[in-house]
Amino acid sequence: MSPDLITGEELLVYYAFYETRDPAGPRIRIIATGDCHKMKEEQFLVVLADGKTLYIDRIYVIGTAGCAGGPGGHCKMQEMELSTNIFWEKPSQKITIFRQQSFARVKLHRIHTNYIPGITSCNSTPLYWYNDWPRLLIFIEYWRKTDYTVVHDVDEIFYVRNKSDNLLDIVHRYFSTAENPNAGALKLQHSALGFKEPIAPNPWNFGKFQELNFLKSAVPFLKESYEDKIKYIYETRFARIPNMHLIREFFGDKQTVALPDTQVAYLEMRNEDLDQARNHTSRFPEFELFTDSEIQTLRQSLKDIFGDDNPPFR
């Protein structure tokens, strides 16, 4: 749709689902995009297949730009959640959403109630990395050697400090009713991860890179700008409004509790941090990104992948 054709009266419905996690009772939630300044709860009705009519209980802006549309109001349309009133009747397979004189009939999805145990997330970061494959190599190989099932931003790793422990067991302990009865999410403070030796030789030299000596110079350190930044692990059954760095809203009386870095450290390899490690000592003196034997295996993997080729970098 051309931006010139958007008047602000549109509502682009992405997903409608039957929500059963709310302790207050089941309801329908609709994820949509529209101009929040022109959206009012009283404009809407939701009709089930049997004719039962529901009203919209609230409209909540979930987009990071907020209803203001970011600096200068440049975002005309915002992501929103529209929630109906609670109802106990059996939901239909499809619903009709009315907004004044306009309407759309959409499928009503059900939330999954059975999950494979693990820690997972979705991310599209590789789309922005172009051919920064040396850093991708670090992330993928570190992920492969760990025993937790998590895929997150590809410049981030979770470092479990006790080698006899694992991330999933630690998370289960902190989410246990006895340990933290109101825990719905666990927050981890940012730490930077850099290298005293550069990842990519400048000028680029694949032969030198293939030695992987920089892996032995990895240094986690705390940046002043990271002191207030966190990432989090949460239980999906309690999260009503997740966001990038926090849970905006929980179901029930759940809250976010700290997962101390004495247990797990959250490390991020941002471009601007990679070379700053030269000016810092390790925040976790025992930290070792890869052992000598693992580095030797990586060298062989590079040889298996590229053979005698000399791959470019950027």
Side-chain angles (χ1 to χ4, degrees):
M1 180 183 293
S2 169
D4 296 333
L5 299 179
I6 295 176
T7 66
E9 300 298 329
E10 300 82 4
L11 183 69
L12 309 177
V13 176
Y14 169 69
Y15 202 76
F17 60 94
Y18 180 55
E19 175 65 85
T20 58
R21 296 173 298 167
D22 191 339
R27 65 178 80 231
I28 291 173
R29 295 173 69 194
I30 301 163
I31 306 300
T33 298
D35 185 343
C36 61
H37 296 96
K38 298 184 177 182
M39 299 288 170
K40 306 296 181 185
E41 287 86 351
E42 59 269 19
Q43 296 173 344
F44 293 90
L45 291 174
V46 177
V47 180
L48 305 182
D50 63 1
K52 180 176 178 58
T53 299
L54 308 174
Y55 62 87
I56 294 298
D57 187 57
R58 77 165 191 175
I59 298 174
Y60 187 97
V61 177
I62 58 179
T64 56
C67 195
H74 64 278
C75 293
K76 185 173 183 178
M77 310 283 276
Q78 295 84 31
E79 300 89 351
M80 293 179 287
E81 173 217 334
L82 293 78
S83 297
T84 70
N85 58 295
I86 293 169
F87 70 101
W88 298 97
E89 294 83 355
K90 183 178 179 180
S92 51
Q93 296 297 313
K94 292 188 175 184
I95 60 172
T96 304
I97 304 169
F98 288 90
R99 184 189 179 200
Q100 296 176 324
Q101 304 303 315
S102 302
F103 68 92
R105 193 162 185 252
V106 300
K107 179 179 179 180
L108 183 62
H109 297 266
R110 269 53 170 181
I111 284 186
H112 296 290
T113 55
N114 295 317
Y115 296 90
I116 299 173
I119 302 172
T120 59
S121 70
C122 301
N123 106 88
S124 58
T125 309
L127 295 177
Y128 308 106
W129 276 46
Y130 302 102
N131 65 339
D132 193 355
W133 60 266
R135 195 154 39 132
L136 281 172
L137 172 75
I138 297 171
F139 167 79
I140 293 171
E141 293 298 331
Y142 188 86
W143 171 69
R144 287 180 61 196
K145 79 164 190 165
T146 57
D147 55 1
Y148 55 81
T149 55
V150 58
V151 178
H152 39 87
D153 282 359
V154 294
D155 59 354
E156 303 170 353
I157 64 174
F158 290 120
Y159 166 51
V160 178
R161 300 192 64 186
N162 185 346
K163 292 184 178 180
S164 64
D165 217 336
N166 67 71
L167 181 63
L168 191 56
D169 287 345
I170 293 171
V171 168
H172 281 318
R173 289 199 298 271
Y174 272 80
F175 274 132
S176 69
T177 304
E179 185 80 24
N180 295 292
N182 294 323
L186 306 175
K187 64 180 180 181
L188 302 96
Q189 185 183 30
H190 267 68
S191 288
L193 178 62
F195 298 86
K196 291 187 179 293
E197 296 183 25
I199 293 179
N202 188 15
W204 172 246
N205 184 313
F206 178 64
K208 184 173 178 57
F209 169 78
Q210 201 169 15
E211 296 172 1
L212 300 177
N213 292 329
F214 68 90
L215 292 175
K216 300 297 291 183
S217 69
V219 176
F221 62 96
L222 185 61
K223 283 181 61 175
E224 184 177 344
S225 59
Y226 282 4
E227 290 182 357
D228 297 327
K229 291 184 180 293
I230 63 169
K231 286 291 180 74
Y232 62 97
I233 300 170
Y234 65 95
E235 286 206 64
T236 53
R237 59 183 169 144
F238 300 135
R240 178 164 186 168
I241 307 291
N243 200 6
M244 185 179 298
H245 290 282
L246 50 83
I247 296 284
R248 286 191 189 172
E249 186 176 334
F250 289 99
F251 288 117
D253 59 355
K254 297 300 179 179
Q255 59 188 358
T256 300
V257 300
L259 180 56
D261 60 19
T262 55
Q263 299 284 319
V264 180
Y266 167 76
L267 311 177
E268 186 165 16
M269 297 184 293
R270 289 189 174 182
N271 267 331
E272 62 268 26
D273 299 334
L274 294 179
D275 296 333
Q276 290 189 24
R278 299 169 188 169
N279 305 319
H280 294 270
T281 56
S282 179
R283 189 178 182 199
F284 310 112
E286 80 287 354
F287 178 74
E288 185 178 48
L289 190 61
F290 294 98
T291 65
D292 290 338
S293 61
E294 289 168 344
I295 291 174
Q296 185 57 41
T297 300
L298 288 178
R299 290 176 182 140
Q300 185 58 48
S301 296
L302 285 173
K303 186 172 180 60
D304 294 340
I305 293 170
F306 295 110
D308 297 327
D309 291 341
N310 186 10
F313 171 62
R314 295 188 176 177

